[in-house]
């Protein structure tokens, strides 16, 4: 039985197979390699997927869905033809269409697949992707990170002897960065970072908003089909601005009475915040890999949105070299997924290949927050396996009781980078009993082990008695219940003029949170201690002490940030 490789994209999807010693891209019903990730459902219950559904998006927006990959792992439902569908269900329609294309191409049933996901997808989003595969009748043999898949395709085709390179993947809805090293048939991932809500669609949306503003109306005043028409037109404007300095948009709406001009300078100015967001994951990945831009031999571009000329010039400026795009950026991920599928099938032509990957998020437990006097923050996150640790891996930490004669301990496991557990993803809980003792005299060791298939094993041992507890957290849809809704945001203090409300304090807190999420090890611990101290000062509500603390905290953050890479 053959295993196919699938790139399940936000905007477009593709499927490929490894056979006859090479990657073969599989065409769809229209003899095209790219299938738009769009689903239309008629009143009669007929499903359209791909380009036909994309056309319906303009004329029947109420019964057509697109860009639903962004909702993977959430509770959001989309209504089509008076019925609601989740993101995994809509993705299953796309996967089923690709599965049928593969079966038609190969002339045999297909039941197994390797599916690509953004490197920065969390555990919940990955489970949703596996669920989508199962709903489509596919056993998902493995999820592969999109930049890793691109790197496999690059390594196989270019066959470099030894090189360190960075894969920059800007798709329709997500942005991923992975730093890798290739040597003697081994492809080793050193670090991954990304933004799950940044992609080509966001740049298009800027033009949509600008056009509607110039039109002198609002989105609410446009009919759904008119809004989709604007979306399609602005996508074309975005592409044309690659070549032209100004694009004239002729009247195409009833409300448009004259030609509207949109310039490249205007677009670049509007998109400046997005360009800045692109830099942060790149810097995080370089920092985690302990590399400078000059240490890299190659920069590889993946994803259709990398065709924006300004994006390419920005990357060239950052790394002081022209990026490589030797393979089609829209298809290279599917090619890499197919090679991984060939590895899973133990194809003889790939027997000398070895692939390592990393854990994209930190894994750890929630711990008591002794400084949360007002009960507004909740528990703190204690990382055990830090992000970008090579997998498979196993790490251990010890935790102790927080009150006298405590006889129970509830361990909750999380995935994420935020210091507060309420802002991370809960993976599961384990409750155990302890002998009575004074505070801090009883404790447990917690070992977390994580493998390349997303299986998290938890081994807990009570230190005094040697009693052992075990829990396995699988990366499978059978573990998925209704999405846990995170606790509501802590309400502001009842005091009318609480210092947290002040803009400078909030700016400093947000800046510190950003730096905490972007650093590791000792540096991260120092930021955590500084954050705790500043929050403790704010809770005292002493104006003069807060003013002094603002100055000291600002100086501390400036010092942390003085070594920016870009």
């Amino acid at each position: 039985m053959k295993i196919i490789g699938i790139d399940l994209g936000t905007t477009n999807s593709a499927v490929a197979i490894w056979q006859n010693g090479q990657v073969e891209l599989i065409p769809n019903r229209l003899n095209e390699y790219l299938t738009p990730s769009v689903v239309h459902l008629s009143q009669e219950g007929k499903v359209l997927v791909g380009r036909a559904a994309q056309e319906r998006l303009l004329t029947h927006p109420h019964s057509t869905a697109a860009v639903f990959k962004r909702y993977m792992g959430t509770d959001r439902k989309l209504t089509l033809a008076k019925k609601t569908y989740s993101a995994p269900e809509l993705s299953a329609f796309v996967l089923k269409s690709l599965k049928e294309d593969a079966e038609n191409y190969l002339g045999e049933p297909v039941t197994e697949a390797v599916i690509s996901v953004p490197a920065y997808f969390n555990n919940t989003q990955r489970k949703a992707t596996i669920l989508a595969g199962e709903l489509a009748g596919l056993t998902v043999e493995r999820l592969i990170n999109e930049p890793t898949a691109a790197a496999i395709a690059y390594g196989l085709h270019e066959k470099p002897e030894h090189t360190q390179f960075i894969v920059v993947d800007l798709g329709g809805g997500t942005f991923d960065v992975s730093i890798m090293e290739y040597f003697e048939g081994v492809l080793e991932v050193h670090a991954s970072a990304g933004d799950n809500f940044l992609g080509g669609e966001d740049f298009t949306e800027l033009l949509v908003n600008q056009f509607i503003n110039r039109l002198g109306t609002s989105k609410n005043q446009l009919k759904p089909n008119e809004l989709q028409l604007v979306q399609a037109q602005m996508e074309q404007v975005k592409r044309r601005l690659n070549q032209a300095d100004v694009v004239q948009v002729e009247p195409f709406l009833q409300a448009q009475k004259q030609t509207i001009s949109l310039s490249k300078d205007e677009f670049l100015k509007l998109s400046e915040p997005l360009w800045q967001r692109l830099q942060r994951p790149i810097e995080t990945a370089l920092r985690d890999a302990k590399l400078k831009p000059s240490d890299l031999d190659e920069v590889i571009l993946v994803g259709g949105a990398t065709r924006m000329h300004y994006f390419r010039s920005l990357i060239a400026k950052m790394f002081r070299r022209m990026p490589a795009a030797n393979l089609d950026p829209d298809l290279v991920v599917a090619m890499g997924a197919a090679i991984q599928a060939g590895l899973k099938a133990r194809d003889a032509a790939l027997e000398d290949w070895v692939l390592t990957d990393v854990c994209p998020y930190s894994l750890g437990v929630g711990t008591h927050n002794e400084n949360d006097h007002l009960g507004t923050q909740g528990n703190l996150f204690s990382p055990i396996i830090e992000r970008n640790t090579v997998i498979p891996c196993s790490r251990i930490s010890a935790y102790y009781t927080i009150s006298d004669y405590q006889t129970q301990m509830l361990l909750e496991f999380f995935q994420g980078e935020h210091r507060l557990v309420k802002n991370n993803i809960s993976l599961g809980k384990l409750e155990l009993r302890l002998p009575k003792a004074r505070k801090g005299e009883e404790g447990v060791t917690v070992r977390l082990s994580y493998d390349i298939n997303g299986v998290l094993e938890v081994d807990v041992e009570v230190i005094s008695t040697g009693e052992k507890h075990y829990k396995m957290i699988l990366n499978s849809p059978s573990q998925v219940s209704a999405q846990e809704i995170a606790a509501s945001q802590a309400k502001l203090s009842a005091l009318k003029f609480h210092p947290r409300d002040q803009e400078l304090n909030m700016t400093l807190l947000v800046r510190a949170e950003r730096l905490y999420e972007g650093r590791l090890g000792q540096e991260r611990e120092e930021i955590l201690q500084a954050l705790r101290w500043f929050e403790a000062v704010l809770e005292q509500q002493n104006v003069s002490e807060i003013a002094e603390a603002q100055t000291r905290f600002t100086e501390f953050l400036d010092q942390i940030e003085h070594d920016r890479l870009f």
Side-chain angles (χ1 to χ4, degrees), residues 20 125 153 175 421 438 478 540 550:
N20 304 320
Q125 292 166 311
F175 178 57
V421 298
R438 303 285 294 184
S478 61
Q540 296 303 314
Q550 287 171 342

Side-chain angles (χ1 to χ4, degrees), residues 61-72:
H62 286 306
S63 53
T64 311
V67 200
F68 38 81
K69 180 177 175 179
R70 283 194 159 177
Y71 310 135
M72 294 291 267

Side-chain angles (χ1 to χ4, degrees), residues 373 499 535-542 545-546:
H373 305 298
E535 286 172 333
V537 173
L538 292 183
E539 288 190 356
Q540 296 303 314
Q541 302 182 48
N542 184 303
E545 288 182 4
I546 289 173

Side-chain angles (χ1 to χ4, degrees), residues 428-449:
K429 299 178 182 179
L430 183 63
E431 189 170 359
L432 51 127
R433 297 190 64 82
L434 301 172
K436 287 184 179 180
R438 303 285 294 184
K439 171 184 175 181
E441 293 181 0
E442 278 293 336
V444 299
T445 59
V446 179
R447 176 178 291 278
L448 297 186
S449 304

Side-chain angles (χ1 to χ4, degrees), residues 362-368 379-385 395-400 409-416 418-422 424-430 432 444-448 456-460 473 516:
S362 296
L363 299 167
V365 299
T367 60
H368 176 62
N379 288 338
L380 297 174
F381 178 55
S382 173
I384 297 176
I385 297 176
R395 300 288 188 274
I396 190 169
S397 290
Y399 300 92
Y400 297 88
M409 182 179 287
L410 177 63
L411 295 170
E412 186 168 6
F413 308 98
F414 293 89
Q415 177 185 57
H418 204 280
R419 69 189 184 95
L420 301 179
V421 298
K422 67 181 180 180
N424 291 330
I425 303 293
S426 176
L427 300 178
K429 299 178 182 179
L430 183 63
L432 51 127
V444 299
T445 59
V446 179
R447 176 178 291 278
L448 297 186
L456 177 64
E457 293 184 274
V458 180
D459 291 282
V460 179
I473 301 172
Y516 175 86

Side-chain angles (χ1 to χ4, degrees), residues 5 57 124 185 204 487:
L57 189 61
T124 307
T204 305

